[in-house]
Amino acid sequence: MKTKSDGSKDEDKDEEASQLLRPETLGGGGSDDEEVAFQSSEKIFIAHADAPDGGDDGTTVPPFSWKKLWIFTGPGFLMSVGFLDPGNLEGDLQSGAIAGYSLLWLLAWATVMGLLIQMLSARAGVATGRHLAELCREEYPSWARLVLWFMAELALIGADIQEVIGSAIAIHILSNGVLPLWAGVLITASDSFMLLFLENYGVRKLEAVFAFLIGTMALSFAWMFGDAKPSGRELSMGILIPRLNSKTIRQAVGVVGCVIMPHNVFLHSALVQSRNIDIQKKGRVQEALNYYTIESSFALLVSFMINLFVTTVFAKGFYGTEQANNIGLVNAGQYLQEKYGGGSFPILYIWGIGLLAAGQSSTITGTYAGQFIMGGFLDLKLKKWLRSLITRSFAIVPTIVVAVVFNTSESSLDVLNEWLNVLQSVQIPFALIPLLSLVSKEHVMGDFKIGPTLERAAWTVAVLVIVINGYLLLDFFVSEVRGFMFGFFVCLGTAGYLSFIIYLVAREGAFSSGWIRLVQTKQQEMTQQSTIPLEKF
């Protein structure tokens, strides 16, 4: 029979076992004066009650737990917003209107490639306890670090302008045209600040807001999908049968090119540090990577379904029509209304609600990423609200100018969006090359350095994305660059741009190491095979 004291001890153990969330000040959190993604008091503690007392040597991966999976769920969904921003939605609707269902297979594979890159970003953050911007600050010389920071900020500003404009368009739709674009820009800016204040009440509150916004997108676009009633047979063929022709090459490039968002690569490596993980214990790190892989895979499956809904709605309604080449983010709602009509709840407003959720969620993650990028590269020990104000101002000021200048011109906004897509494409190498270089280094990653097979697969994806975006850039500049002086400066900038990429690739054997090892291995095998007959003879 248990004594009262024994019962109290058992109750204490049960309470400890059931407590999966609590603030923790030990184990890799950093002091409050240290520049880190999350202070130790902000992190979510992961209790390991399943390990027997004294039986955890730090190398064993604890058994799977649904409760722990729930605790680790969050960062992947914030990351997945980068696959659902207004720029991606515009790529989806144009892909559906111009290429029909034929590029759905490419959308699926592009999402898988994006998952691979994002999981490498998460791997870097979990295994090192530092996010990508911090690792770049430590690994690169000052001049290269400043160039990488400048490029990351440019990418962030370009993405933020698209996201804020997308929100402003949604607000314009939902207000029946009463609020102009510039008013929508101001509302979006204030909204993102208000929502960021939720971070003061804990990471989980902020993650819950994103869950609500992603759920709103899913419900809105699923409703549109139901109204459109697309062909199930053509939908299945589009996903399962690869098809590509010369008329849809530009849309195919857009589908793949918009998968990798430079600021999203930096963001994910920071978000995964919101959970308190003891990086000194190999088993705990592997456990976190396992849960983050499951969570991120599910999050990107949801994002794929949302992108699929948008693509198929416009494929069903506008593929092969005269309007197909004229649809953009600005006029998409009106085209939907004319095609599918009002009904009990007009599709124009359903589109507006989904677009607003996409814009709001992506602007918040953009601001969030800006904090980590600025703090990581520059080691600025500023209050988070001040960093948010600075990074938000970088995007809001030019966005207001854009909204005022292009308020009445849909075609001008579409041209601007093309330029912003080009800006994003230009920045992609400056996120991918440092990431893949760093996760391949033992002195950075320790036991969690990626192996040769994964390294080659990651570099293949990176090269594919960079080449595809290079094609987009070349096609754009050939059609848009006019005049000798402008062309001269473009060529000069391109030379500097390529030189820096070559430096990043060549530095410490980045990219070449994995493939050179493969080539050397093949050469050695061929040499051994060629010498066997001589030895026998």
Side-chain angles (χ1 to χ4, degrees), residues 46-258:
I46 310 298
H48 297 286
D50 49 352
D53 293 339
D56 183 11
D57 59 0
T59 60
T60 304
V61 179
F64 178 81
S65 165
W66 286 104
K67 288 184 178 180
K68 284 189 180 179
L69 177 60
W70 171 248
I71 299 305
F72 278 102
T73 297
F77 282 90
L78 269 69
M79 170 273 295
S80 71
V81 169
F83 292 68
L84 298 169
D85 68 357
N88 278 26
L89 297 184
E90 182 164 29
D92 292 337
L93 65 90
Q94 290 177 344
S95 171
I98 297 173
Y101 301 89
S102 64
L103 297 181
L104 290 178
W105 66 275
L106 191 58
L107 175 63
W109 281 106
T111 304
V112 172
M113 291 191 295
L115 175 62
L116 172 61
I117 297 300
Q118 293 299 151
M119 287 316 304
L120 292 179
S121 174
R123 188 185 190 93
V126 172
T128 66
R130 299 186 298 279
H131 57 82
L132 183 57
E134 292 174 320
L135 292 172
C136 288
R137 185 185 75 228
E138 296 172 0
E139 291 295 320
Y140 288 93
S142 296
W143 71 269
R145 168 172 55 87
L146 290 175
V147 174
L148 287 172
W149 168 71
F150 179 72
M151 292 299 184
E153 289 290 353
L154 278 182
L156 183 60
I157 291 170
D160 218 1
I161 291 175
Q162 286 182 307
E163 293 156 359
V164 173
I165 289 292
S167 287
I169 292 171
I171 292 171
H172 181 74
I173 291 173
L174 295 175
S175 67
N176 286 321
V178 173
L179 294 176
L181 285 183
W182 63 265
V185 169
L186 294 178
I187 293 172
T188 301
S190 61
D191 282 355
S192 55
F193 277 122
M194 290 171 60
L195 290 172
L196 276 173
F197 287 145
L198 285 171
E199 187 185 3
N200 296 326
Y201 297 97
V203 176
R204 293 301 259 181
K205 299 293 190 302
L206 188 62
E207 292 171 350
V209 171
F210 276 89
F212 172 76
L213 291 174
I214 293 173
T216 301
M217 276 187 274
L219 180 61
S220 298
F221 298 133
W223 190 324
M224 289 171 47
F225 181 83
D227 281 349
K229 297 180 177 63
S231 168
R233 178 176 176 275
E234 292 188 41
L235 178 61
S236 301
M237 290 179 60
I239 295 175
L240 299 176
I241 302 176
R243 289 177 290 173
L244 190 63
N245 59 61
S246 58
K247 294 181 180 179
T248 60
I249 189 67
R250 190 180 183 91
Q251 283 68 45
V253 168
V255 167
V256 177
C258 67

Side-chain angles (χ1 to χ4, degrees), residues 26 58 127 205 489:
L26 301 175
K205 299 293 190 302
F489 284 113

Side-chain angles (χ1 to χ4, degrees), residues 523-534:
Q523 288 177 340
Q524 291 173 358
E525 291 176 356
M526 293 175 64
T527 302
Q528 292 173 356
Q529 290 175 358
S530 64
T531 57
I532 289 175
L534 293 175

Side-chain angles (χ1 to χ4, degrees), residues 376-497:
F377 274 113
L378 304 183
D379 195 22
L380 293 179
K381 296 176 177 61
L382 299 175
K383 297 291 186 181
K384 285 189 176 182
W385 68 266
L386 183 57
R387 276 201 307 237
S388 296
L389 180 62
I390 294 172
T391 55
R392 207 82 195 100
S393 299
F394 284 162
I396 289 300
V397 173
T399 304
I400 292 176
V401 174
V402 166
V404 171
V405 172
F406 298 108
N407 186 41
T408 58
S409 176
E410 293 181 2
S411 60
S412 297
L413 272 175
D414 289 337
V415 171
L416 172 69
N417 191 58
E418 289 186 17
W419 278 96
L420 293 174
N421 286 336
V422 168
L423 180 63
Q424 290 291 309
S425 300
V426 166
Q427 310 307 325
I428 285 176
F430 306 124
L432 289 188
I433 295 174
L435 172 66
L436 300 190
S437 175
L438 291 169
V439 297
S440 304
K441 295 179 180 178
E442 187 172 0
H443 78 272
V444 175
M445 300 293 294
D447 292 333
F448 291 93
K449 178 191 77 168
I450 61 175
T453 302
L454 182 56
E455 184 181 357
R456 287 193 291 270
W459 275 109
T460 300
V461 170
V463 170
L464 178 63
V465 172
I466 291 172
V467 168
I468 285 175
N469 280 279
Y471 172 86
L472 178 64
L473 292 174
L474 181 63
D475 179 66
F476 180 80
F477 282 123
V478 166
S479 61
E480 295 294 333
V481 173
R482 296 288 185 272
F484 173 77
M485 288 302 296
F486 187 37
F488 173 76
F489 284 113
V490 167
C491 291
L492 191 65
T494 302
Y497 172 78

Side-chain angles (χ1 to χ4, degrees), residues 38 74-80 83 114-115 117-126 131-132 262-274 292-293 295-297 300 369 372:
F38 296 90
F77 282 90
L78 269 69
M79 170 273 295
S80 71
F83 292 68
L115 175 62
I117 297 300
Q118 293 299 151
M119 287 316 304
L120 292 179
S121 174
R123 188 185 190 93
V126 172
H131 57 82
L132 183 57
H263 72 275
N264 215 34
V265 176
F266 287 97
L267 176 65
H268 200 195
S269 64
L271 291 174
V272 294
Q273 295 177 48
S274 60
Y292 280 136
T293 299
E295 181 240 3
S296 297
S297 299
L300 289 192
F372 299 129

